Amino acid sequence: MSQIELLAAMQRTETLSAAAREVNLTQPAASRLLRTLAGDLNIDLFERVGRTLKPTTAGWTLVRRAAGLIADIDRTQQELEAIDGGLIGTASIGAGVSSCYVIVPRALTLLLNEAPRITVTVREGPMDELLGKLHTGQIDILVGRFNSGVQSSDITARELYRPAVRAVCGPHHPLGRKRAVTWNDLIEQPWILPENGTAMRSAAEAVFRKQRRRPERCLVESSSIQTNVALMNSSDLIWMLSADVAEYFHNLGALRLPNVPELAAPGAFVMAHLRGRSLSPAAQRLSDCLMKASRP
């Protein structure tokens, strides 16, 4: 078990000494554990790179497996503690930032009403980071917009919904109050461009191609929802956002929706879990609530 804990810690740290400290071992003791493991398996698991010990390809395989095993043990412990405390299970969900505003809260509200004794852990972050947590078993379900590279044989993915795209501006922007607005009117304004490689950037570029012009002033390139909403509340800028999230901020009075047509969805919000790891009853209940929350 000490070897497994040390291997799992090596996925979260950059050096062997840091991994050893995390599991309360000295570096010499950690080195002995790894040497013993390599000897027992009769395979090179680590190699010296400068003054640092780095896993070989075989070593990384063991590191990933150990991290997954530790995550499974932790999840089992959490479920046992939940049952002992009178609850009926636990589930964990990784959520891309956009999904945290509408689909995930809607699903959790359904779950609270249908199964109030299930406890849920929500981890928000970039999709590539959350995908790693899904593979190591740190989360049960992943929700967000996936790029094409995410689809793989070890992931089961289901489309939830495809929200359209809306142009948005701050609550004091003059175009937010006009009845008749065109895309050319918006393109003449300063813009916040979504980051390259995102679904929103693809939608923006499609508009620019259709209008055969681009904004002359793109002052910021950002996909940070919190940053951009705050910025648009202090500056007259145009941005593009999923229609459901745009409506959320519009209802709060934090954004306005210029009177231009919605755009087709550039991609779907997807729910995914590992194909080879069955969902616990609590996680399956959460999955069912996500499907219900995605319906019109």
Side-chain angles (χ1 to χ4, degrees):
M1 195 63 197
S2 297
Q3 292 171 332
I4 292 172
E5 290 176 342
L6 178 61
L7 287 168
M10 293 187 72
Q11 188 183 59
R12 302 186 295 270
T13 58
E14 296 184 355
T15 64
L16 175 60
S17 57
R21 286 194 300 272
E22 188 169 311
V23 295
N24 297 317
L25 290 173
T26 64
Q27 183 168 342
S31 296
R32 284 196 297 273
L33 281 176
L34 296 180
R35 283 197 301 271
T36 300
L37 179 60
D40 290 342
L41 297 175
N42 194 28
I43 190 171
D44 292 331
L45 298 176
F46 300 90
E47 58 187 354
R48 182 70 61 179
V49 180
R51 301 180 63 183
T52 304
L53 202 61
K54 295 289 186 182
T56 62
T57 301
W60 276 121
T61 298
L62 274 185
V63 166
R64 288 193 297 270
R65 293 293 186 181
L69 180 57
I70 292 296
D72 284 340
I73 292 172
D74 288 343
R75 185 165 54 249
T76 301
Q77 180 67 27
Q78 290 168 5
E79 291 188 3
L80 290 174
E81 290 173 355
I83 293 169
D84 187 53
L87 304 173
I88 60 172
T90 64
S92 57
I93 181 172
V97 177
S98 293
S99 59
C100 288
Y101 289 97
V102 179
I103 183 66
V104 170
R106 193 179 292 167
L108 293 180
T109 299
L110 288 172
L111 186 67
L112 287 172
N113 290 331
E114 296 178 6
R117 293 195 297 170
I118 291 178
T119 58
V120 180
T121 300
V122 180
R123 300 182 187 276
E124 177 188 339
M127 292 299 286
D128 55 349
E129 179 182 311
L130 293 173
L131 186 62
K133 294 183 183 296
L134 181 67
H135 276 112
T136 58
Q138 294 171 271
I139 57 176
D140 300 311
I141 298 170
L142 177 56
V143 176
R145 267 200 179 96
F146 284 38
N147 60 42
S148 58
V150 169
Q151 307 299 332
S152 60
S153 59
D154 61 344
I155 290 178
T156 297
R158 298 178 68 182
E159 181 174 318
L160 293 174
Y161 69 127
R162 289 177 176 263
V165 176
R166 294 294 305 263
V168 295
C169 62
H172 308 298
H173 198 294
L175 294 184
R177 295 180 174 85
K178 288 187 65 175
R179 289 187 178 181
V181 181
T182 68
W183 277 106
N184 276 330
D185 293 332
L186 298 183
I187 292 174
E188 289 174 356
Q189 301 294 310
W191 273 64
I192 300 174
L193 280 184
E195 287 182 288
N196 263 321
T198 63
M200 289 297 105
R201 182 59 174 266
S202 298
E205 294 295 342
V207 169
F208 302 154
R209 286 193 300 270
K210 184 175 181 180
Q211 301 300 317
R212 297 183 179 180
R213 60 182 302 197
R214 299 178 61 84
E216 294 183 3
R217 292 171 291 170
C218 298
L219 305 179
V220 179
E221 183 176 305
S222 166
S223 293
S224 169
I225 293 178
Q226 291 181 326
T227 298
N228 294 356
V229 171
L231 189 56
M232 286 188 291
N233 272 261
S234 59
S235 304
D236 287 342
L237 296 164
I238 304 297
W239 187 38
M240 299 181 77
L241 195 55
S242 290
D244 56 338
V245 182
E247 290 285 350
Y248 169 84
F249 282 106
H250 174 70
N251 293 336
L252 292 178
L255 292 179
R256 283 187 177 271
L257 309 177
N259 189 23
V260 293
E262 291 184 341
L263 303 173
F269 280 92
V270 174
M271 172 178 63
H273 64 87
L274 284 186
R275 190 181 302 275
R277 180 181 294 135
S278 60
L279 294 175
S280 68
Q284 183 60 56
R285 195 68 178 268
L286 174 58
S287 173
D288 295 341
C289 287
L290 282 163
M291 292 302 299
K292 291 179 184 177
S294 67
R295 297 168 189 158

